[in-house]
């Protein structure tokens, strides 16, 4: 297997509990992410990585019911959860996607894969030119394994690729630039109640006009014509969860040390 996409999902969000199960025109946000990732020309399989927590049982049931592979692992050590799930299939590359991105664009993912250099070990939009909600990361399985074995900070265990970013000079890293211009100020994710209202507005508009296959260009055109929609969730900080993790950072035991 060459490309395995792993979508991390849980119900325990403090700002918007069970956000990945919120309804978007008849399907959950998580189902929308899965179906949009599956549109990729290059992804061999899509897997969902959730936790062993009781509150995430609905995720396991939902994902299993639609015929998608699901793995349940650590709730705090997300890096371990990713590695253990990827290890089951041992792909050449692991693509990291989060379940709070229900307008994920497979066309952007395919463009990134086509631009992936043979020597690249890790690719991401490091310059943050993608909208918050279109983020993607592509890493070699062996690099994920290395990060899993080396990361010691709590922040690096919670945020899957932070060890790689913190030590990027040691690896072959490739930046992905948005082909749609700088979308850094666009917020197309679900993390707050206002985000859900924003995404729900987008889905309801495109489903109302019969455009269920809408992509990033369509969203941009819609927002440019309806700037008031952007105001629904304007003002939230990007990567707020990471900032909180860094403020409370500490050294933790790695799985092989327990």
């Amino acid at each position: 297997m060459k490309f395995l996409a792993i979508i991390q999902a849980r119900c325990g969000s403090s700002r918007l509990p069970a956000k990945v199960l919120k309804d978007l025109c008849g399907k959950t946000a998580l189902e929308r992410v899965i179906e949009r990732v599956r549109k990729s020309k290059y992804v061999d399989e899509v897997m969902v990585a959730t936790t062993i927590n009781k509150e995430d049982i609905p995720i396991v049931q939902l994902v299993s019911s639609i015929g998608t592979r699901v793995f349940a692992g650590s709730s705090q050590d997300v890096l371990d959860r990713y590695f253990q799930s990827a290890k089951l299939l041992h792909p050449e590359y692991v693509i990291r996607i989060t379940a709070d991105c229900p307008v994920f664009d497979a066309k952007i993912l395919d463009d990134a894969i086509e631009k992936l250099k043979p020597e690249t070990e890790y690719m991401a939009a490091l310059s943050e030119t993608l909208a918050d909600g279109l983020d993607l990361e592509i890493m070699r399985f062996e690099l994920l394994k290395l990060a899993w074995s080396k990361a010691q900070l709590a922040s690096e265990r919670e945020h899957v690729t932070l060890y790689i970013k913190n030590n990027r000079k040691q690896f072959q890293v490739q930046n992905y630039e948005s082909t749609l211009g700088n979308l850094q100020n666009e917020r197309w994710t679900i993390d707050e109640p206002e985000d859900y209202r924003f995404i729900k507005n987008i889905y309801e508009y495109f489903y109302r006009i019969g455009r269920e296959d809408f992509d990033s260009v369509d969203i941009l055109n819609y927002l440019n014509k309806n700037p008031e929609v952007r105001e629904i969730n304007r003002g939230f900080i990007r990567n707020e969860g990471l900032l909180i993790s860094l403020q409370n950072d500490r050294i933790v035991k790695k799985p092989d040390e327990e």
Side-chain angles (χ1 to χ4, degrees):
M1 178 180 295
K2 190 161 188 177
F3 293 104
L4 168 65
I6 301 180
I7 302 169
Q8 67 184 67
R10 66 185 181 96
C11 290
S13 171
S14 59
R15 293 181 289 275
L16 185 61
K19 61 185 179 181
V20 303
L21 300 180
K22 293 289 186 183
D23 179 78
L24 292 173
C25 293
K27 291 185 180 180
T28 65
L30 176 55
E31 288 175 280
R32 295 301 184 190
V33 179
I34 292 171
E35 65 185 14
R36 291 176 78 88
V37 176
R38 279 180 170 162
K39 291 180 179 180
S40 167
K41 297 182 292 185
Y42 303 108
V43 170
D44 297 298
E45 184 164 348
V46 178
M47 177 190 291
V48 172
T50 189
T51 85
I52 57 174
N53 292 355
K54 185 177 180 180
E55 64 189 7
D56 289 323
I57 290 176
I59 291 178
V60 175
Q61 294 171 330
L62 171 66
V63 175
S64 299
S65 72
I66 60 175
T68 299
R69 195 186 299 262
V70 60
F71 176 89
S74 172
S75 59
Q76 299 298 319
D77 192 340
V78 190
L79 175 54
D80 182 63
R81 192 197 320 167
Y82 250 81
F83 172 67
Q84 299 299 339
S85 57
K87 190 171 68 171
L88 295 173
L89 298 177
H90 206 300
E92 186 176 348
Y93 294 94
V94 176
I95 300 166
R96 176 176 178 251
I97 298 164
T98 56
D100 53 7
C101 301
V103 295
F104 183 85
D105 195 333
K107 292 179 182 177
I108 292 176
L109 172 57
D110 287 349
D111 180 61
I113 290 173
E114 288 167 0
K115 291 175 178 174
L116 190 67
K117 298 175 182 177
E119 66 273 17
T120 296
E121 296 175 283
Y122 173 73
M123 172 192 265
L126 298 169
S127 53
E128 295 189 345
T129 56
L130 289 177
D132 191 357
L134 296 181
D135 302 297
L136 58 92
E137 297 173 285
I138 306 171
M139 71 202 91
R140 287 190 175 274
F141 172 79
E142 294 303 326
L143 182 56
L144 174 63
K145 182 179 179 179
L146 178 67
W148 172 82
S149 69
K150 296 288 188 180
Q152 298 184 55
L153 295 175
S155 60
E156 294 174 344
R157 307 304 303 187
E158 181 183 355
H159 299 274
V160 178
T161 58
L162 188 58
Y163 174 84
I164 300 171
K165 293 175 181 176
N166 286 343
N167 298 277
R168 67 181 69 182
K169 291 183 179 179
Q170 299 178 26
F171 312 118
Q172 293 292 326
V173 174
Q174 182 178 347
N175 182 49
Y176 177 77
E177 291 281 349
S178 166
T179 59
L180 304 176
N182 192 340
L183 306 182
Q184 186 176 39
N185 295 323
E186 299 284 347
R187 184 178 173 90
W188 300 354
T189 187
I190 296 182
D191 204 32
E192 305 278 354
E194 292 84 352
D195 295 331
Y196 175 54
R197 284 177 48 214
F198 172 83
I199 294 292
K200 194 167 182 283
N201 178 294
I202 289 175
Y203 263 88
E204 289 177 347
Y205 169 74
F206 283 107
Y207 271 61
R208 188 166 59 247
I209 65 172
R211 281 294 317 279
E212 298 181 11
D213 62 341
F214 66 93
D215 60 19
S216 299
V217 174
D218 298 316
I219 295 173
L220 276 174
N221 289 337
Y222 171 62
L223 294 176
N224 288 337
K225 292 177 182 177
N226 301 274
E228 71 280 3
V229 177
R230 276 196 178 96
E231 297 301 317
I232 294 174
N233 65 341
R234 185 180 293 278
F236 291 105
I237 299 172
R238 186 168 184 151
N239 298 324
E240 184 177 1
L242 173 59
L243 296 176
I244 294 172
S245 296
L246 293 175
Q247 290 172 0
N248 301 292
D249 221 354
R250 66 194 190 282
I251 295 176
V252 297
K253 288 184 178 181
K254 296 178 289 184
D256 58 342
E257 295 177 337
E258 297 176 348

